[in-house]
Amino acid sequence: MIHCKIFSRILFLTLFILSGAIVSCSNEEDDAKVEEIIFTNIHNGKLKLNEGEDFKLEYIIKPTELQDVADIAWETTDKSVARVRNGKITAEGEGTATISAYAGNAKASVTVTVYPQSVTSFSIPSYINAYIDNRVKVEVTNIEPEYGSISTIEWKIADESIATFEIEDGELYVTALKNGTTTLTGIAENCKKSCNIVVKEFIPAKSITVTLGKTTIETKKTTTVSATVSPNNASIKDVKWSFSPASYVEFDESTNTIKGIKAGTVTVTATSINDESVSGSATLTITPAQLNLDLQKDASDKVSTYYNIICPDKSVGKFNSTIEFTLTDLNDPEADLSNAVWKSSNENIATVSNGVVTAKGHGYADISATINNTTVKARVRSVKSSSFDFSVSKSSYSNVAVSSLESPSPRIVGFYYDETFKNDDEIYLDTFWEFVGQSFSALSSDASKISITNTGERSVLMLIGDAPGSATITITPKYGKTKTISAKMALGSLSFIKYGSDTPFATVTNGGSLTVKYDSNTYVYRNVGTTYDPETSELLTDTSVGYNISWSSDNSSRQHPFYGDRLFYSGTYNNLTTGNFGTFKCNLIIEL
């Protein structure tokens, strides 16, 4: 049993096919019923057209009910004279052709005569070289009107024993007969032009020499080429060029310039256009272009282009474990360099694959890319956190003496560095500060003697001498080894200066002692330079002490001390008497 849907589809297709057959048969039957085709815009079955002119045939069909259904077939007896398409006739060239229309057994025809359109204006060369027994085409240009026929121009040759002319397929030719010169003249409605015809004996080319401007060029470079035809008086010296392999070069015929496209050897051949048996050749060698290679990093890389620093475990600051180089020819940024060979000078430090460098160890590795015998290199530096050290140095402010009213505060500067790269000309001490981006912590073993303050600069600490004594400063960086610094607060010297003068009378230096008496109290500076009593210093700066201060010293520097505007003292010590005003200065230092 056939499913009803399938049956309906089969029935539909069958009816469709049958209906098509019926329509086809109906068209053929209609055509067979055509009794007559009549051209309504043609008289006497003849039509005259000018070359280039169009004409649309109009017709009726009998019986008239077939006018819109009958199929008309069109035909021409000579397409070079007239063409027809759907009743439209186009005049192609001078002559006569018959255009016919068919439908069933009915036929209608018209004889079309195409006349050349008269030329009113034209141009020809001023002279032509021709060779005996050769025919030369004369270029007739700037013809007005556009479809004008040169056959309507009156042509004459002054001496037909030297040359003759003929028009063939709408073209003008001159045939040379013997040596000499004659004149070809054309006369149109409003125009007259002449051309000198110089007839010579034809001298064939015997040989061709090919000369290259350069016999060797690089790809993408150019050289000129020329051909010398022998004998020198050969009638035709024009040549055609060929190259083998042709794909290795590009040739600019207007400038006779050859451009190298592919490295290899190319045979350059010039052949006479008149005789293919006459030719000459030369060999051009094309070498790979001299590259101007550059290894460039991605502009978005976090690490400075100049340093190329990587870290195998990403344990140090912002340093990545990989870095990618792009190989570029600066002379030709679009050059295909995909065949470059990449190498690392030390694969224990870093490996490379297609420009991607991967950190493996600690130290230097030179990455190279080589193509077409040209190599370019870039140095990478692979660092590890365990390889970092922390360098401490004193700044220019260290160990500078200050007065007893101030606290000495030398500056110390710290830098991360890697001993392997310590003498690297491209890396500066602050390179790792910049990219590691981490500070350090510092601790004093006795902050009551020497305390620490951060200056706000990431690599600078300041030590403050708060009291005589010593302390150990421990500096712990995030990367690298812990550093310790010994610091000591001491009195450097005591100077005695005459009032109104900057010149000291004398100075009690390191190791000496000084005794200062104030009323009933006696204060002793012992071992000057190693001990210091800030309370006594404050008393010495008290301007209210008046005349009651006396002093003595156990070394050779003896004068009356007083830090302030006045000191009234009368007395004699060691045969030195003074009643003058004077000042006293106490210089303190921190020794590192």
Side-chain angles (χ1 to χ4, degrees):
M1 181 175 180
I2 299 176
H3 194 280
C4 61
K5 288 186 177 180
I6 297 176
F7 178 78
S8 63
R9 290 179 181 176
I10 294 173
L11 179 60
F12 173 79
L13 290 173
T14 303
L15 292 174
F16 178 79
I17 294 171
L18 290 174
S19 64
I22 292 170
V23 170
S24 175
C25 293
S26 176
N27 286 340
E28 291 179 1
E29 291 176 359
D30 289 341
D31 292 345
K33 294 178 182 179
V34 175
E35 299 173 356
E36 189 176 8
I37 302 172
I38 302 171
F39 293 139
T40 60
N41 56 347
I42 297 296
H43 300 285
N44 302 321
K46 295 180 180 181
L47 177 65
K48 296 179 180 181
L49 297 175
N50 290 324
E51 188 174 342
E53 188 177 357
D54 292 332
F55 183 85
K56 177 67 175 177
L57 288 170
E58 297 176 359
Y59 58 90
I60 58 174
I61 301 294
K62 290 186 177 181
T64 56
E65 62 266 20
L66 300 178
Q67 181 74 34
D68 297 326
V69 296
D71 290 332
I72 304 297
W74 299 91
E75 183 181 88
T76 179
T77 58
D78 191 339
K79 292 181 179 180
S80 67
V81 174
R83 294 179 180 271
V84 62
R85 180 180 177 84
N86 295 328
K88 180 182 178 181
I89 301 172
T90 300
E92 297 289 343
E94 184 179 358
T96 301
T98 300
I99 304 297
S100 301
Y102 298 90
N105 294 321
K107 174 183 178 182
S109 298
V110 58
T111 300
V112 179
T113 302
V114 177
Y115 295 91
Q117 190 170 358
S118 296
V119 174
T120 59
S121 177
F122 66 96
S123 297
I124 56 176
S126 60
Y127 72 94
I128 294 174
N129 286 325
Y131 302 102
I132 297 174
D133 295 332
N134 282 347
R135 189 171 79 156
V136 180
K137 179 181 176 181
V138 180
E139 296 291 344
V140 184
T141 58
N142 301 322
I143 296 173
E144 295 289 345
E146 181 181 359
Y147 294 103
S149 173
I150 64 172
S151 64
T152 64
I153 301 172
E154 181 182 355
W155 298 101
K156 295 180 180 180
I157 287 185
D159 189 341
E160 293 188 345
S161 67
I162 295 176
T164 59
F165 77 90
E166 59 186 334
I167 296 175
E168 182 178 305
D169 296 329
E171 302 289 352
L172 176 63
Y173 296 92
V174 169
T175 301
L177 302 177
K178 70 176 183 178
N179 287 345
T181 301
T182 188
T183 303
L184 169 69
T185 301
I187 302 173
E189 182 178 343
N190 300 316
C191 181
K192 178 179 180 180
K193 295 293 175 70
S194 296
C195 170
N196 288 328
I197 302 173
V198 180
V199 179
K200 301 178 181 178
E201 182 180 354
F202 183 77
I203 301 174
K206 298 296 184 182
S207 65
I208 299 175
T209 301
V210 174
T211 303
L212 295 167
K214 298 177 183 177
T215 57
T216 300
I217 59 172
E218 297 177 358
T219 55
K220 306 289 178 81
K221 301 295 184 180
T222 61
T223 184
T224 57
V225 63
S226 61
T228 302
V229 177
S230 296
N232 188 50
N233 61 344
S235 297
I236 298 177
K237 294 185 177 181
D238 293 334
V239 299
K240 57 183 177 181
W241 294 97
S242 61
F243 307 88
S244 181
S247 61
Y248 281 33
V249 296
E250 288 180 355
F251 182 60
D252 186 342
E253 191 171 1
S254 64
T255 60
N256 276 8
T257 301
I258 303 172
K259 181 178 181 180
I261 300 300
K262 186 177 179 180
T265 301
V266 178
T267 301
V268 182
T269 302
T271 303
S272 171
I273 64 170
N274 186 65
D275 185 352
E276 291 190 354
S277 66
V278 180
S279 65
S281 62
T283 300
L284 174 64
T285 301
I286 303 173
T287 61
Q290 184 64 41
L291 303 176
N292 184 9
L293 297 180
D294 183 36
L295 288 180
Q296 299 176 344
K297 283 185 3 182
D298 190 331
S300 64
D301 199 301
K302 297 178 181 179
V303 182
S304 168
T305 300
Y306 299 103
Y307 304 137
N308 299 334
I309 302 173
I310 49 180
C311 178
D313 53 8
K314 298 185 179 179
S315 63
V316 183
K318 300 178 182 178
F319 302 135
N320 298 323
S321 60
T322 62
I323 185 173
E324 183 172 359
F325 289 104
T326 300
L327 184 62
T328 304
D329 182 359
L330 297 180
N331 292 336
D332 182 8
E334 302 300 322
D336 181 8
L337 305 179
S338 58
N339 293 327
V341 177
W342 293 84
K343 288 184 180 180
S344 169
S345 63
N346 189 338
E347 294 195 344
N348 292 324
I349 303 299
T351 59
V352 61
S353 176
N354 293 327
V356 178
V357 180
T358 303
K360 297 295 183 182
H362 172 232
Y364 288 102
D366 288 325
I367 304 301
S368 64
T370 302
I371 187 170
N372 295 343
N373 298 318
T374 303
T375 300
V376 64
K377 293 182 179 181
R379 171 161 288 188
V380 297
R381 300 158 178 86
S382 183
V383 301
K384 290 185 176 181
S385 60
S386 59
S387 65
F388 273 85
D389 205 342
F390 189 80
S391 172
V392 177
S393 62
K394 294 179 291 185
S395 75
S396 58
Y397 298 103
S398 299
N399 289 357
V400 175
V402 297
S403 75
S404 59
L405 292 180
E406 299 179 73
S407 295
S409 53
R411 296 154 62 95
I412 60 172
V413 182
F415 293 100
Y416 288 125
Y417 76 97
D418 188 325
E419 188 70 30
T420 302
F421 311 113
K422 192 172 183 180
N423 296 319
D424 194 321
D425 292 337
E426 292 187 12
I427 296 181
Y428 301 95
L429 283 176
D430 60 355
T431 297
F432 292 110
W433 272 114
E434 181 179 352
F435 294 118
V436 171
Q438 301 292 337
S439 61
F440 53 80
S441 61
L443 182 66
S444 171
S445 63
D446 190 347
S448 65
K449 300 293 190 300
I450 300 176
S451 60
I452 305 169
T453 183
N454 195 320
T455 65
E457 301 176 58
R458 61 186 178 186
S459 61
V460 178
L461 289 178
M462 184 174 289
L463 306 184
I464 307 298
D466 294 312
S470 61
T472 299
I473 309 301
T474 302
I475 301 176
T476 305
K478 181 171 183 178
Y479 306 112
K481 304 170 185 177
T482 299
K483 290 292 184 180
T484 57
I485 304 171
S486 295
K488 181 172 63 174
M489 170 70 167
L491 177 64
S493 65
L494 296 172
S495 297
F496 305 94
I497 302 174
K498 184 177 181 181
Y499 181 71
S501 171
D502 291 330
T503 304
F505 286 117
T507 300
V508 179
T509 55
N510 192 352
S513 63
L514 175 68
T515 299
V516 177
K517 187 175 183 180
Y518 172 62
D519 289 338
S520 61
N521 298 315
T522 300
Y523 303 93
V524 179
Y525 286 97
R526 299 186 183 280
N527 298 319
V528 174
T530 60
T531 62
Y532 167 61
D533 186 341
E535 182 181 355
T536 304
S537 176
E538 290 176 10
L539 289 174
L540 288 173
T541 64
D542 188 350
T543 57
S544 66
V545 296
Y547 295 92
N548 299 319
I549 290 181
S550 63
W551 65 273
S552 63
S553 175
D554 64 356
N555 75 4
S556 59
S557 299
R558 299 182 179 95
Q559 275 297 334
H560 55 286
F562 185 70
Y563 186 84
D565 293 334
R566 299 185 174 192
L567 174 59
F568 296 96
Y569 169 76
S570 62
T572 302
Y573 187 85
N574 201 19
N575 298 318
L576 179 62
T577 301
T578 179
N580 300 326
F581 300 108
T583 57
F584 161 75
K585 287 186 178 179
C586 176
N587 294 322
L588 310 174
I589 61 173
I590 288 183
E591 295 178 345
L592 298 177

